[in-house]
Amino acid sequence: MQFIFDPRQLLHDPELYFRRGAFIPHPEQPQRAILVRDALLAAGHTMEAPRDHGLAPIKAVHDDGYVDFFMTAWPDWVTATGTTVPAVPNYHTDRRNWRVPKGVIGKLGYYSTDTSCPVVEGTAEAIYWSAQTAIEAAERVRSGAADHIYALCRPPGHHAVQDASWGFCFFNNAAVAAHHLLGRFQKVAVLDVDTHAGNGTQDIFYRRGDVVYVSIHTDPSDYTPFFMGYADETGEGAGAGATHNLVLPVGAGVDDILASYDAALDIIRASGAQALVLSLGVDMAKDDPLSLVGMTTEGFRIGAARVAGLGLPTVLVQEGGYLGPSLSDNVVAFLGAFEDARRA
């Protein structure tokens, strides 16, 4: 399979993450993308670089001020604080009821929901080129140049809401790709198979009817993202009925997960979607350090073949999947099975 990647995505390299009252090594490391890239090349997949599509496709789903802030946050932080320590917010607010402050310290809190997205020197370039990778893949599908293509996006994106970072995510690559596909297709489906609910993607499309959002994920009642991703959240206004959260219990095994794949695919078929964005998290793997369920490499192969069976033009966008033993094996298995099923 052809895949898109830019090495500038490796420049975001946070060392630590404040979680549960302590600093721990940050799970979202550049090595994630390096391992996957090298494994895909070794397996015979072909890599190409994205073109620069600018900020407009990103701003089509994200708040202008939010996007502009993260493009200059690092130099603004250094100037304001006189330090080069990572920029981590220590103020947070309800963005809908308060004003956007003037200074970088206040803005960092305004445009962030948690401490998982520290800004470092290379953050702006990394998140920009992660988004460009998704846009390039979507543009190739939108133009008809590709029927399916994989965007090796890193940092990931599906937790980023319209105007705030969240859960390692700055720009919502899958949402940007889905909106871009609407330039050709009248209705697009987003299928999210990451072990965490894609609350950002849900939030962005919750009141829209042109994008159907279906997510398979672990119960968020005591698990990231905590505040969204429940089965009774189904959309509002024009988006009523277009959001579907298929919630897995902690400890779910391969059979449970694949049954949810089948249910998700039935929803997408019934929706009339003409194209698909797959938020491909492989952190459901039983050996992933953030997983509470038990997916296997063979399970990923089976799931991939079933998704391919939809026959829809598809952009596959990398989300989670952390430094567990099977990370690169699972991505290679998924993409290989998807490609084989399409050729069959």
Side-chain angles (χ1 to χ4, degrees), residues 158 190-192 194 196-203 206 212-220 225 227-235 241-248 260 263-264 267:
H158 73 149
V190 177
L191 172 59
D192 192 323
D194 190 279
H196 304 96
N199 57 293
T201 314
Q202 174 178 317
D203 182 67
Y206 203 64
V212 176
Y213 175 70
V214 187
S215 179
I216 306 167
H217 55 261
T218 305
D219 182 0
F227 311 114
M228 295 176 69
Y230 295 87
D232 60 355
E233 298 163 359
T234 58
T243 291
H244 305 264
N245 287 305
L246 307 181
V247 180
L248 297 167
S260 291
I267 292 167

Side-chain angles (χ1 to χ4, degrees), residues 152-304:
L152 177 47
C153 292
R154 185 271 157 191
H158 73 149
H159 292 309
V161 298
Q162 190 254 350
D163 60 355
S165 64
W166 191 324
F168 313 154
C169 302
F170 295 86
F171 296 154
N172 194 313
N173 305 309
V176 170
H179 185 84
H180 196 72
L181 288 174
L182 290 168
R184 173 185 174 191
F185 303 100
Q186 292 183 333
K187 181 176 281 191
V188 174
V190 177
L191 172 59
D192 192 323
V193 298
D194 190 279
T195 200
H196 304 96
N199 57 293
T201 314
Q202 174 178 317
D203 182 67
I204 288 167
F205 295 122
Y206 203 64
R207 294 165 184 83
R208 292 175 53 170
D210 52 354
V211 176
V212 176
Y213 175 70
V214 187
S215 179
I216 306 167
H217 55 261
T218 305
D219 182 0
S221 61
D222 192 28
Y223 188 63
T224 303
F226 299 110
F227 311 114
M228 295 176 69
Y230 295 87
D232 60 355
E233 298 163 359
T234 58
E236 295 178 354
T243 291
H244 305 264
N245 287 305
L246 307 181
V247 180
L248 297 167
V250 170
V254 174
D255 290 345
D256 298 319
I257 296 167
L258 291 177
S260 291
Y261 268 72
D262 291 338
L265 298 177
D266 286 343
I267 292 167
I268 293 169
R269 290 187 185 96
S271 75
Q274 299 166 326
L276 176 69
V277 173
L278 178 68
S279 275
L280 177 57
V282 292
D283 45 2
M284 281 194 190
K286 61 184 179 181
D287 61 5
D288 189 280
L290 300 187
S291 179
L292 297 180
V293 296
M295 193 58 150
T296 63
T297 301
E298 182 59 23
F300 283 117
R301 287 194 184 94
I302 295 169

